[in-house]
Amino acid sequence: MYSRVQLFIDGEWCDSISGKFIPVLDPATEEAIGEVACVNTADLDRAIAAAVKGFRLWRKTSPLDRSAILREAAALLRRRVEAIAGVMTKEQGKPIAESRTEIFASADMLEWFAEESRRTYGRVIPARSEGVLNLVLKEPVGPVAAFTPWNFPVSQAARKLGAALAAGCSVVIKPAEETPGSPAELVRALADAGLPAGVVNLVYGNPAEISGYVIPHPAIRKVSFTGSTPVGKALASLAGQHMKRITMELGGHAPAIICDDADLQTAATVLAAGKYRNAGQVCIAPTRFLVQDGAYDSFVEEFLARTRQLKVGNGAEAETTIGPLANQRRQAALESLVDDAVQRGASILAGGRRQHNKGYFFPPTVLADAPHDSRIMNEEPFGPVALVSRFKDIDEALAEANRLPYGLAAYAYTRSIRTSTALAEGIESGMLSVNHYGLAIPETPFGGVKDSGFGSEGGSEAVDAYLATKFVTQGSPAVA
Ligand code: NAD
């Protein structure tokens, strides 16, 4: 399927000057399926120099032409969906149907950014004197360093590349080394669509060495990272030391508030789908299920029924609805988080223990009454674990929802407009979805507050993040 993933620098696919490679594993079998080229600083210098050259050309390319290339890349992704989805499932583990959905969602994303590139408007501010024009111009900020994770290898890269390219920026992108093949196919689609050499440069290697070299580099003007809060804080501090603009899309620990008056069938169906998608390795996955006393028993029963219907297996098999975790770190982390919660008094209602000898599998798990001091009630599990507990009134639910330093997504189910409004006003999160699942589409803002990050990767805000504002005031020359 793929044996060797190369770098893409200045319009050429190439190995590293170092000649080094990193093995890539199939998380369903733990077997090596290929390898990815591993950069050294000489490769990074080439990539940055190419991005500088690419920026000079791309910033002058008209938004109409940029938009045509992004649209063509979207069309190519759709046409190549079966091949790319196969690569993604093999390296990441998610069910093949989810891989296909991700490719189509990424194509939608590129199309949205193609449209937005034609709307990077400035404005005209009324002047205080006759003959003066006050102009606000929007300009691409410059070459960007982008770092994307392994949970959505293509769509996370499409969000960053789409917004940066729409704005007229060039990019050095480093996707995750664990899932290198599918984001390389996204870059291939852009190149095949006519993106000029140097505008997007793809590198892989040691993440800390790459970010430590690229972020301080004077040619790089903007840093965008998706990943964990600790790494995000480290990269944001480094960017701050060098006065680089940042977008940080970090971890979450989403509350899902289910009130007595909720449509419990819908709540259980929609929230179970959100919880177990991609084996729970989703920054916006519902995690703390806060259920009002009167709805608790029925909701938990409905949720458990949907949990038990899931079929754990190799994502390449059509009947699988939940694949393995993407790497061994997550499997070890989940075991330790669940054990800690159980030792402190939580009850396992489903799953909880590893069942396979091979592959990084973890069963869909429901834990009841994990105490506040258990690690899993404070650390992002990033896996298929739902934590259910009770609340009496909406103030109590809000206090628990806002207890953690995270603030990415939140969910609520209620038939009361009063409750819904109280939640909309009181919840400390970047996104709230009430009575349905409505997050993460290209045209709506996507991002967090507090420790969940800074900036938005959706909606018109996403392109703004790659634009600098220049003010030009122009008077009329005196007539000779
Ligand atoms: P991690 O923080 O080590 O890595 C997350 C991503 O960041 C990976 O793609 C990795 O290659 C990259 N990374 C790590 N250190 C880096 C550095 N110094 N410079 C540049 N990039 C670096 O964590 P992990 O074990 O891979 O994932 C576990 C945690 O990451 C989860 O608990 C979750 O909080 C978070 N995560 C979040 C998202 C998201 O969508 N926000 C995605 C993946 C992982």
Side-chain angles (χ1 to χ4, degrees):
M1 192 174 276
Y2 72 83
S3 56
R4 176 174 284 193
V5 180
Q6 291 186 298
L7 313 172
F8 186 69
I9 298 177
D10 202 10
E12 302 283 340
W13 293 96
C14 55
D15 293 338
S16 165
I17 296 165
S18 72
K20 276 199 194 154
F21 289 87
I22 304 168
V24 181
L25 306 183
D26 177 344
T29 62
E30 302 181 33
E31 281 161 14
I33 49 171
E35 55 187 7
V36 56
C38 171
V39 288
N40 63 12
T41 50
D43 298 306
L44 292 176
D45 283 336
R46 283 183 60 227
I48 294 169
V52 169
K53 186 190 81 174
F55 180 60
R56 274 193 221 114
L57 179 73
W58 191 242
R59 67 176 305 185
K60 295 257 159 64
T61 303
S62 78
L64 194 64
D65 291 341
R66 285 182 213 149
S67 139
I69 290 173
L70 286 169
R71 275 181 203 286
E72 176 60 16
L76 289 175
L77 281 186
R78 291 194 182 105
R79 225 173 291 150
R80 298 173 183 175
V81 61
E82 283 308 315
I84 307 175
V87 171
M88 190 189 294
T89 288
K90 196 88 182 139
E91 64 188 5
Q92 203 275 346
K94 67 180 64 179
I96 189 77
E98 290 189 27
S99 292
R100 288 188 194 109
T101 303
E102 181 176 339
I103 311 293
F104 285 124
S106 304
D108 285 355
M109 204 101 67
L110 293 186
E111 263 173 6
W112 158 256
F113 286 120
E115 291 158 10
E116 280 301 277
S117 74
R118 298 167 65 181
R119 291 193 280 266
T120 52
Y121 307 132
R123 65 191 197 278
V124 179
I125 298 174
R128 293 185 172 199
S129 316
E130 201 183 338
V132 170
L133 277 180
N134 284 331
L135 305 174
V136 178
L137 308 180
K138 293 287 182 179
E139 298 183 328
V141 69
V144 173
F147 302 89
T148 55
W150 42 261
N151 59 340
F152 291 98
V154 172
S155 66
Q156 304 269 20
R159 276 191 188 280
K160 295 192 197 301
L161 291 177
L165 296 178
C169 294
S170 61
V171 186
V172 175
I173 184 165
K174 190 207 80 61
E177 288 66 28
E178 285 151 326
T179 55
S182 51
E185 292 308 311
L186 169 65
V187 170
R188 193 184 308 283
L190 285 162
D192 291 351
L195 194 73
V199 179
V200 168
N201 303 279
L202 174 72
V203 298
Y204 293 100
N206 178 309
E209 283 173 21
I210 295 176
S211 57
Y213 189 78
V214 171
I215 293 175
H217 196 289
I220 297 296
R221 296 312 320 153
K222 155 104 194 171
V223 178
S224 182
F225 171 76
T226 299
S228 66
T229 294
V231 174
K233 285 182 174 176
L235 299 193
S237 334
L238 185 59
Q241 282 168 39
H242 297 272
M243 203 46 74
K244 306 289 169 80
R245 287 175 53 166
I246 54 166
T247 299
M248 290 283 149
E249 209 273 275
L250 309 178
H253 204 297
I257 298 172
I258 299 109
C259 299
D260 283 346
D261 63 354
D263 172 347
L264 298 182
Q265 298 266 349
T266 302
T269 302
V270 176
L271 291 171
K275 175 71 260 178
Y276 299 120
R277 179 167 71 113
N278 200 6
Q281 302 162 113
V282 182
C283 53
I284 56 170
T287 292
R288 283 170 296 151
F289 289 71
L290 315 176
V291 192
Q292 202 160 13
D293 280 331
Y296 186 87
D297 291 340
S298 311
F299 175 78
V300 170
E301 192 181 315
E302 295 284 347
F303 191 83
L304 282 171
R306 284 152 184 82
T307 302
R308 293 193 182 109
Q309 279 164 9
L310 293 165
K311 169 92 176 59
V312 180
N314 187 322
E317 289 158 11
E319 65 276 16
T320 294
T321 50
I322 179 163
L325 299 166
N327 53 58
Q328 197 169 22
R329 291 192 304 286
R330 293 278 14 104
Q331 196 184 35
L334 281 161
E335 278 183 333
S336 140
L337 288 168
V338 169
D339 287 350
D340 170 77
V342 170
Q343 270 168 25
R344 292 171 195 263
S347 327
I348 297 179
L349 304 186
R353 297 269 178 270
R354 190 199 292 209
Q355 290 149 343
H356 295 65
N357 295 326
K358 226 166 178 38
Y360 307 133
F361 292 96
F362 197 82
T365 294
V366 181
L367 288 187
D369 303 320
H372 275 178
D373 66 354
S374 56
R375 283 176 46 217
I376 203 163
M377 286 296 276
N378 298 281
E379 294 171 31
E380 180 180 31
F382 219 63
V385 181
L387 306 165
V388 290
S389 56
R390 295 169 182 269
F391 73 88
K392 284 195 176 49
D393 58 38
I394 205 68
D395 288 343
E396 188 187 347
L398 260 177
E400 168 54 23
N402 294 340
R403 179 179 58 88
L404 295 186
Y406 293 112
L408 191 57
Y411 302 87
Y413 282 80
T414 176
R415 288 193 168 91
S416 157
I417 286 286
R418 183 191 291 263
T419 305
S420 179
T421 306
L423 290 172
E425 289 175 355
I427 206 104
E428 292 172 3
S429 69
M431 298 170 271
L432 170 65
S433 192
V434 183
N435 290 334
H436 81 138
Y437 184 86
L439 306 182
I441 52 177
E443 59 270 32
T444 57
F446 186 92
V449 297
K450 296 162 68 180
D451 275 6
S452 291
F454 179 85
S456 186
E457 293 216 287
S460 54
E461 288 89 343
V463 181
D464 276 349
Y466 293 88
L467 293 170
T469 299
K470 181 184 276 176
F471 174 58
V472 176
T473 182
Q474 175 186 296
S476 310
V479 180

